[in-house]
Amino acid sequence: MVHAPRLPELARVVCTPEQLRTVHMTVSVLLDYPGDRTGAALGAARESMAGLPPLVQQDVEAFCEWAGRSGLRAMAEHYVDTFDQRRRCALYLSYYAVGDTRQRGAAILGFKAVLRALGFEQVRDELADYLPLVLELSGLTGDRLVLELLASHREGIEVMRSALRGYRSPYAHLLDALCRTLPPVDAATHERYQRLVTQGPPAEMVGTTSAFADAMPFAPAFALADGSAR
């Protein structure tokens, strides 16, 4: 008898709006491809954790300790092996919802619509459904539209978190930190998670594998409508 997969257990925390923005911005920076700014990002992450819920602090510190021991080259190799080679760890949220199908373009347009609704234009050469980018927008604005966008793709985030735990990747600590701040998983989301784990996303292939190109080093992802960078 095959048992349906269960979500890995995780204790949630209560955050103020400012704490939530801090957590999401921190995870955004650390979840991006390791680059020249990674050292500074690790230091800033440690400083930003002061005053946040202890469980979140522990998650981020565990990741930072691994990153500090590993060095930039080892981090980059692990990142590519994890996020670019394993489909259950893909950082592009619409992939989990619609797979590599003709609906993918429309799904990504939905992310762009949220960005525009908040008065931003994307200046970084990356797909709009890239999780670090979405979390950066959440960190910048704290707007409910971004939180609703994350909630609507929660099953994909949970598939990623479960996979990272299964692969024993230190990046699982960052997904734990993120998911601790999100609302509890309801029954419908849990059902979609189980279906994704057992069946995968829709598999109609239409030549969209470029969506999984190497992530670019962290840089500001947005500009305000008046052209100023954020």
Side-chain angles (χ1 to χ4, degrees), residues 184-197:
V185 175
D186 59 23
T189 301
H190 190 269
E191 183 178 349
R192 291 193 298 270
Y193 162 82
Q194 292 178 322
R195 187 164 56 248
L196 269 172
V197 170

Side-chain angles (χ1 to χ4, degrees), residues 205-223:
M205 300 302 295
V206 293
T208 56
T209 53
S210 62
F212 300 98
D214 289 355
M216 299 184 64
F218 177 80
F222 304 109

Side-chain angles (χ1 to χ4, degrees), residues 143-159:
D143 195 278
R144 65 174 182 81
L145 284 177
V146 191
L147 299 179
E148 290 172 358
L149 191 61
L150 290 169
S152 68
H153 291 81
R154 180 65 179 276
E155 61 270 21
I157 294 172
E158 291 293 348
V159 168

Side-chain angles (χ1 to χ4, degrees), residues 102-166:
R102 291 179 177 86
Q103 300 177 52
R104 186 79 185 277
I108 292 174
L109 287 177
F111 285 83
K112 292 182 177 180
V114 171
L115 189 156
R116 290 194 298 269
L118 296 177
F120 288 82
E121 293 182 1
Q122 189 174 333
V123 296
R124 177 175 171 178
D125 186 16
E126 185 56 86
L127 293 176
D129 64 338
Y130 183 52
L131 179 57
L133 188 152
V134 177
L135 291 175
E136 182 182 349
L137 187 61
S138 179
L140 285 171
T141 67
D143 195 278
R144 65 174 182 81
L145 284 177
V146 191
L147 299 179
E148 290 172 358
L149 191 61
L150 290 169
S152 68
H153 291 81
R154 180 65 179 276
E155 61 270 21
I157 294 172
E158 291 293 348
V159 168
M160 193 188 315
R161 183 171 74 88
S162 178
L164 289 170
R165 281 191 167 201

